[in-house]
Amino acid sequence: MTKKRSQKKILNYLLVALAIYFCTTLPFLHDIITEKGTGVKDWVPDLGIEEFFTTVNEEGKKRVNGFTSYRTFIYFFLLHLFAAIGWAGWHKDATGKPYKFLLLIPAILTAYTTVIILLDARATQFNEPGTKLFIALMITAILMVIFFVKYFKKQNEK
């Protein structure tokens, strides 16, 4: 192996390690960038994200996408994003395993919940248990049909 290929391989390993490290910090990022009771820390650049997601209700209380604070919103959003990335990563890593297609169910459901949080749709019918159960059943049925069609097609080719 040439020195250049070796350096490229090391760089790829380093980037993967940094990506995994970043993903592991997602549930704790709210502790790093916000201060309990005061909001975003001074060193965090103001990109207008908090103002974009903040609304004022009838009582005059500020709500960030239905959450009591920006800190809570960030925590729940990143926690669900962390879970979605984990399930998707396990799905990618399960190449050749018979259960691989089933790993898409929790990956899609956690991604769905992440979108619900981001769009402030937690108080709508899209976040009700019946809706999520229906989505899970539909995803499962579709994935099982695809799996068995591919499986029987492969078996008939042999």
Side-chain angles (χ1 to χ4, degrees), residues 24-78:
T24 60
T25 63
L26 284 177
F28 312 107
L29 195 59
H30 74 288
D31 286 327
I32 297 168
I33 65 172
T34 62
E35 194 68 47
K36 191 173 185 176
T38 61
V40 180
K41 292 185 179 178
D42 293 336
W43 60 268
V44 177
D46 184 10
L47 303 174
I49 297 170
E50 183 176 4
E51 291 80 20
F52 179 77
F53 288 114
T54 302
T55 58
V56 179
N57 64 11
E58 302 85 36
E59 301 157 359
K61 290 187 176 181
K62 287 185 177 182
R63 307 279 293 171
V64 182
N65 261 21
F67 292 96
T68 56
S69 69
Y70 186 56
R71 178 181 170 88
T72 307
F73 165 71
I74 290 173
Y75 173 71
F76 277 95
F77 175 71
L78 293 178

Side-chain angles (χ1 to χ4, degrees), residues 107-141:
I108 291 170
L109 285 175
T110 53
Y112 177 80
T113 304
T114 305
V115 170
I116 292 293
I117 290 170
L118 192 60
L119 297 178
D120 192 18
R122 290 183 315 129
T124 66
Q125 67 191 21
F126 297 112
N127 197 36
E128 291 180 3
T131 304
K132 290 182 178 180
L133 180 63
F134 177 74
I135 290 171
L137 289 172
M138 291 305 298
I139 292 169
T140 303

